[in-house]
Amino acid sequence: MTYTADKPPHTETREELQRRIPGWGADLDPRDRPSVPRERHDTGATGAHWDFPERQEEKRPRERSVEHRTLTPVFGTVAPTHGLSGVIRRYAYRKYSEARAAHWLLLVAADRVDAVESHLRSFATTRPDNPITETGVLSEFTRHGISSRFGRKRADLNHIWIDPIVVAGPWLLAGGVLYSAVRAVTKRRS
Amino acid sequence: MRAMVYRGPYKVRVEEKDMPVIEHPNDAIVRVTRAAICGSDLHLYHGMMPDTRVGMTFGHEFIGVVEEVGPSVQNLSRGDRVMVPFNVYCGSCYFCARGLYSNCHNVNPNATAVGGIYGYSHTCGGYDGGQAEFVRVPFADVGPSVIPDWMDEEDALLLTDALATGYFGAQLGDIAEGDTVVVFGAGPVGLFSAKSAWLMGAGRVIVIDHLDYRLEKARIFANAETYNFAEYHDIVVHLKRITDFLGADVVIDAVGAEADGNFTQQLTATKLKLQGGSPTALNWAIDSARKGGTVSVVGAYGPIFSAVKFGDAFNKGLTLRMNQCPVKRQWPRLFEHIQNGYLKPSDIVTHRIPLEHIAEGYHIFSAKLDDCIKTVIVPSAA
């Protein structure tokens, strides 16, 4: 088989499969499946009662892909651009199409800037960011953190040690920089 | 209202957020009664999806009760119990008119390469999601459906993405009677893909993962033959051996962007964010499919380039099929399969967590603690 014309046989017959698997073959006909054909023209099927939707009001300038002719009639309004991350994001949308790696890499960079900006801003509020509660890491103690990982053949053990560095690294780095700065200032004064 | 809010990679919390309002005449406001954490939410949680902004509420799997409707809404009323597909779509653009609801052109100003998705970054339109007490649902006459009286609410919840996507993945494989189908990933979508492959007449269904508890679930829930890739030097060679060196007729990638099995791919994709995803499962799918076979991709990848073994796909003459699932197209048939007892989606739910504890919910799911497969979030106003 394989090196000859016949397909390697299965061990189970159709009848055996029908007995063993509830519903086996219920969608056997490839033409009678919900996503077949992939494209089917049926505008009446969706519930839309418009040719083109009314336009949602643009209450503040909304960034958009340069691959769109205009702003789409409906859009999300959560978390408008702001700060330095906003400057980067608006630039990425204005300057580069989705086809350009720069577009996406700038957006990823803006995400990191946004996180730093938001952490700093949170320290001026009554609810500063708390990496212990916000990472949910205490569930390691209540949800079998050790036995879920060790003594099992998990392939992710070779990289999960990086996660604490990704999460805590920037905090430790910022703390170190702050400590060095304070130390330098106090040394200079004394 | 209380809502999950993203605070940066690996950090979420619950905070008071403004109530959503009607922003378009066909909007509805839905009071969420159940939401779920999806495996693809972890790509946002890990900071992999470009333009994921601090302050966004995640959650594209949710059901609830209609609280308010906009002036042009005809098909829903206040008090209706609804299930909401994860796709935000208009129902009338070129793509929606052809049934490609997940590729709608009228709902996502940020990108043309993807449609609208609730709570899934600005790359997918900048809509808040349903891991909250309330959520704005655009095009209320198009997306949501009233939950049938006979349907269990967790079954309805899983129809909003995981079950529909898994079933769609099996369809993309164009499975013919007697085909050998390999499914990479024994998470919710992989389990549903495996289960669906049988409905389409597969002769053999094989599920691959590295988490033994999930493989056990694949054996029990999806009647599948299973292998832990961590036990094999090369899982592709093993798959060739057990298929008499032919390879599988159909392979389904139900893992997506955070696939394990290759340290370099993990490092560059999930830690350094220099790839749109770690395509290890996709590369294994390409290499374990038989020549002329089909690879179906329903695991989610980001828009940045990924190191995919395209030459192997080319030289083997593979058919590669993929998309975000157009959820509502799947529902009528899936309703029948649930009523006939062929599918019981809520059997995969392992954890139910109050919204206030969502940070723990994310960590448990992300770190795969406590034999977690599917986490349901229960808002306090439910």
Side-chain angles (χ1 to χ4, degrees), chain B residues 43 48-50 257 275-277 300-306:
Chain B
H43 312 331
M48 293 173 66
M49 189 70 171
Q275 290 198 74
Y301 290 86
I304 302 176
F305 37 76
S306 297

Side-chain angles (χ1 to χ4, degrees), chain A residues 139-156:
Chain A
S139 57
E140 289 284 335
F141 304 109
T142 56
R143 300 286 185 159
H144 316 107
I146 291 174
S147 62
S148 292
R149 288 198 181 86
F150 301 104
R152 300 180 179 213
K153 303 170 209 82
R154 286 181 56 157
D156 55 352

Side-chain angles (χ1 to χ4, degrees), chain A residues 10 49 54 93 140 159 163, chain B residues 24 51 141 178 260 271 363:
Chain A
H10 287 301
H49 40 88
E54 276 186 63
Y93 281 107
E140 289 284 335
H159 65 80
D163 291 348
Chain B
H24 179 274
D51 210 356
D141 281 334
D260 272 298
K271 316 301 183 200
H363 184 77

Side-chain angles (χ1 to χ4, degrees), chain A residues 109-125:
Chain A
D111 290 349
R112 303 292 90 83
V113 173
D114 186 13
V116 172
E117 287 177 323
S118 302
H119 292 327
L120 292 175
R121 204 175 307 116
S122 79
F123 293 127
T125 69

